[in-house]
Amino acid sequence: MTSTTTPTSPAPTPTAPAPWSDLVSAALLGTERRTPPVAARPGQGAAAALLDAAAVSTVRRRAALRPAPAGERPAPAPADPRPLLPPAARRRLSLLLADRGDSGGGSRRGTAPDLTELLPQWLAAADTYGYRAPEALLPALLDAARARTDLRPAALALAGPRALWLARLNDDWKFALRGLGGPSELPGDNAPEAVRRTWEEGLFAERVALLTALRRHDPPAGLALLTTTWSTERAEDRLMFLDSLREDLSAADEPFLEQALSDRSRNVRATAAELLSALPGSALAARMAQRAQTCIGLDRTAGAPAISVEAPHECDMGMQRDGVAPKPPSGRGERSWWLGQLVEATPLNGWHARFGGRDAAAIIGLPVGDDWRTELHDAWCRAAVRQRHADWARALLGAPAAPSQAAEVAPAGSSRDLTKLLTVLPEDERAQWVAEFIAAHGLSEAFRMLGVCAVPWAEPLGGAVVDALDIARDAGSYPWSFSGVMGLAERCLDPAAADRLDMLTAVTDEPEGASPGSGGYWSEAFQRLVGTLRLRATMRTELTPPATDDDTDPGPGPSAVLSADAPATTPGGATAGPRVP
């Protein structure tokens, strides 16, 4: 008997995985009698296609997941041609990132170094050599930068372009796309079409980095690029782009900034006015000088010369367009508020002729009538910082050892910031001034000043800090009051001083009236200081690339951050060290 079978038509290609029951039925009946509901690959038989589908379905059912279409694979990460960290430095970075948890805050006890506070220095030193981070540590590095904003510029610089690639794949790392650090390089070897494409199509962080890099290479080209899209940018973006013009600011930027004075955003107008006032030869600076010198002059009527002040009586539209804010903050008088803004935007060199050719120190020494001295000097301080005028900064700072200088740090009713004035001075002069200030007035008023001194602290600054701490210990001072300075010393002292500080690690007898337990605390603090300095020296060694026969001049290394190669000396040539108790 001949059996007949009903011809079957080929099964359509399924758009979804076939049900398990259909696969079982096809297997039981045989592929010759029932075409399996699966799509066979070219050259593959029906039975093999059925077995493949059954295997996939089995794995899917065991995983308890519904199958889904495969997503688009991300583009490969960009190449990073920088050299990889040496093996010892890679291990050190892994340890620093693993120990980045909460250090407890406040006063620390124990003698172990605080690795969390050494991470910023390590990152800066690695960047000095131009290293790149190992790929396996990029997630931990981005997590650390996410948790601490102070780490972001150096961390993103070390992570390089692959950090941006990862940030696009993880919302937790989106901060990396906001222009908060990382290397600034021109795309495509400065090819105009690549620059234009990045500027028009790139992420905001990429555009900020591009403008910054272009300003460093070719300031006029950077300004020209900005003008192409300026009118269509958002206000907050215009403000960021305008802020990038601070570097390499020149008279060529003045026409653009003058137009920005009429911007619809108040913050953009204020920033443009600030930048123009930093250009002593700008038209805005001349207008502000004319207004300020109308209000301030030399009065000879009382015999001895003095400075007379007549604050403006109104803030007209011209003043407002040039950046003068008409409404003062709470508790501030309108006229003094307007006067301060005029003076801080006036070129400082113009005051010499106004006061009979006197230099900055002589002008600062003149008496000021009607109790305007604090207001006027505060405005001159802000002008010196804005214009980076070292002569005026020196005059306003005065002698660090002067008896009145400690009170001058924050005079009553003053907004003066001597720390900002110090940043105007050259690094060596800045350190010398702070060292003399500490020797005369102690550490209580110098904490913020220490923060703007170059690292490692050169002599005599390092010796002045250690001597002041030693004096505080001998006096039985409340030890926890100096924990902030001690923490700074751990990060900023020259590691070469570690051996000379060993003598301070011993527990001393507590003088009468000392804080209970202060001797043990001071001993722990100095032991931690010595241990941290030695660890920093080791970290510096780990970052040093291996020497080769061609290394005749290794060039600058991270010694300016982690260490110095030789003991510092005093101006007389003798090796400086702590005061011997």
Side-chain angles (χ1 to χ4, degrees):
M1 179 177 178
T2 303
S3 62
T4 60
T5 58
T6 304
T8 59
S9 58
T13 301
T15 58
W20 177 253
S21 58
D22 292 351
L23 297 177
V24 172
S25 297
L28 292 174
L29 292 175
T31 57
E32 293 181 354
R33 298 186 62 186
R34 174 171 294 184
T35 303
V38 296
R41 298 191 302 272
Q44 186 183 40
L50 175 61
L51 291 175
D52 283 351
V56 171
S57 183
T58 299
V59 172
R60 173 178 61 83
R61 294 172 70 222
R62 288 178 178 177
L65 293 175
R66 288 182 174 274
E72 183 180 356
R73 297 181 64 181
D80 191 341
R82 296 176 297 170
L84 191 62
L85 286 166
R90 289 200 294 270
R91 291 191 293 270
R92 180 68 62 187
L93 175 59
S94 180
L95 290 173
L96 293 174
L97 291 173
D99 195 66
R100 63 181 177 83
D102 184 13
S103 60
S107 175
R108 292 189 294 119
R109 295 303 301 263
T111 60
D114 185 0
L115 300 185
T116 302
E117 293 305 318
L118 290 180
L119 181 57
Q121 290 193 29
W122 189 97
L123 291 171
D127 184 56
T128 302
Y129 273 131
Y131 289 128
R132 64 178 171 91
E135 289 76 5
L137 293 180
L138 288 179
L141 191 59
L142 286 168
D143 283 340
R146 176 178 177 241
R148 290 182 57 177
T149 56
D150 62 311
L151 294 179
R152 291 182 181 179
L156 293 180
L158 181 68
R162 297 186 175 187
L164 298 179
W165 181 84
L166 281 174
R168 296 188 183 96
L169 306 177
N170 189 333
D171 288 340
D172 289 342
W173 301 330
K174 292 298 184 183
F175 69 88
L177 305 178
R178 302 173 190 155
L180 296 176
S184 297
E185 297 180 357
L186 295 176
D189 296 327
N190 199 14
E193 60 275 8
V195 171
R196 177 72 62 180
R197 182 170 59 254
T198 302
W199 179 251
E200 294 178 350
E201 302 175 6
L203 298 171
F204 178 69
E206 295 171 334
R207 300 179 72 207
V208 171
L210 172 65
L211 182 59
T212 301
L214 196 56
R215 285 286 295 182
R216 291 173 181 170
H217 287 80
D218 187 354
L223 181 62
L225 183 68
L226 179 58
T227 58
T228 59
T229 59
W230 177 258
S231 60
T232 61
E233 303 287 356
R234 299 183 305 168
E236 54 269 31
D237 293 350
R238 293 199 305 276
L239 185 61
M240 287 289 292
F241 292 142
L242 196 63
D243 199 61
S244 67
L245 300 183
R246 293 181 186 275
E247 191 170 354
D248 296 312
L249 186 68
S250 68
D253 302 316
E254 182 179 359
F256 174 79
L257 294 174
E258 276 285 345
Q259 293 180 3
L261 291 176
S262 302
D263 194 273
R264 54 186 179 273
S265 167
R266 178 176 61 84
N267 291 332
V268 172
R269 295 194 302 270
T271 302
E274 180 186 349
L275 292 175
L276 283 170
S277 66
L279 292 172
S282 67
L284 179 138
R287 295 193 296 268
M288 298 298 259
Q290 182 178 8
R291 296 177 181 122
Q293 292 180 6
T294 301
C295 300
I296 300 169
L298 188 62
D299 183 10
R300 301 177 183 273
T301 58
I307 298 177
S308 62
V309 177
E310 179 67 27
H313 293 271
E314 64 174 344
C315 183
D316 57 34
M317 295 305 297
M319 291 169 61
Q320 294 183 40
R321 182 182 182 275
D322 285 345
V324 178
K327 186 176 181 180
S330 178
R332 186 79 178 274
E334 282 186 338
R335 296 181 64 196
S336 64
W337 172 245
W338 300 333
L339 177 70
Q341 294 178 83
L342 293 180
V343 173
E344 69 179 281
T346 296
L348 290 167
N349 287 336
W351 293 111
H352 301 299
R354 182 66 173 170
F355 291 107
R358 292 175 171 84
D359 61 14
I363 295 173
I364 295 300
L366 289 172
V368 183
D370 298 329
D371 297 325
W372 282 102
R373 183 179 185 274
T374 297
E375 187 71 43
L376 182 59
H377 284 204
D378 287 357
W380 276 335
C381 285
R382 296 192 297 271
V385 173
R386 181 182 296 187
Q387 298 172 32
R388 315 304 297 173
H389 203 300
D391 288 341
W392 275 81
R394 291 187 190 96
L396 290 160
L397 283 167
S404 62
Q405 193 56 248
E408 286 293 322
V409 173
S414 172
S415 61
R416 193 174 316 170
D417 190 339
L418 296 189
T419 300
K420 289 183 178 179
L421 274 177
L422 282 170
T423 64
V424 181
L425 301 181
E427 289 183 355
D428 292 346
E429 184 179 355
R430 188 187 316 164
Q432 180 72 35
W433 196 96
V434 177
E436 293 180 16
F437 183 91
I438 292 173
H441 307 292
L443 291 166
S444 59
E445 300 290 353
F447 182 75
R448 291 183 64 243
M449 296 179 185
L450 288 170
V452 299
C453 293
V455 177
W457 290 336
E459 294 299 341
L461 178 57
V465 172
V466 173
D467 284 349
L469 290 171
D470 190 18
I471 291 171
R473 181 190 66 164
D474 289 350
S477 300
Y478 192 63
W480 296 273
S481 300
F482 296 89
S483 59
V485 176
M486 189 65 77
L488 268 181
E490 293 173 16
R491 300 189 294 274
C492 302
L493 273 177
D494 187 342
D499 292 340
R500 303 198 304 273
L501 293 173
D502 266 336
M503 67 182 72
L504 302 180
T505 60
V507 179
T508 59
D509 295 334
E510 297 176 5
E512 184 178 355
S515 301
S518 63
Y521 176 92
W522 282 111
S523 175
E524 287 182 1
F526 279 114
Q527 289 180 57
R528 185 170 61 247
L529 173 59
V530 171
T532 302
L533 295 180
R534 288 175 174 157
L535 177 58
R536 285 172 51 205
T538 301
M539 290 165 55
R540 188 273 306 255
T541 303
E542 294 170 346
L543 282 166
T544 304
T548 64
D549 294 339
D550 297 332
D551 288 342
T552 56
D553 182 8
S559 59
V561 179
L562 290 176
S563 177
D565 291 329
T569 57
T570 62
T575 301
R579 185 180 63 85
V580 179

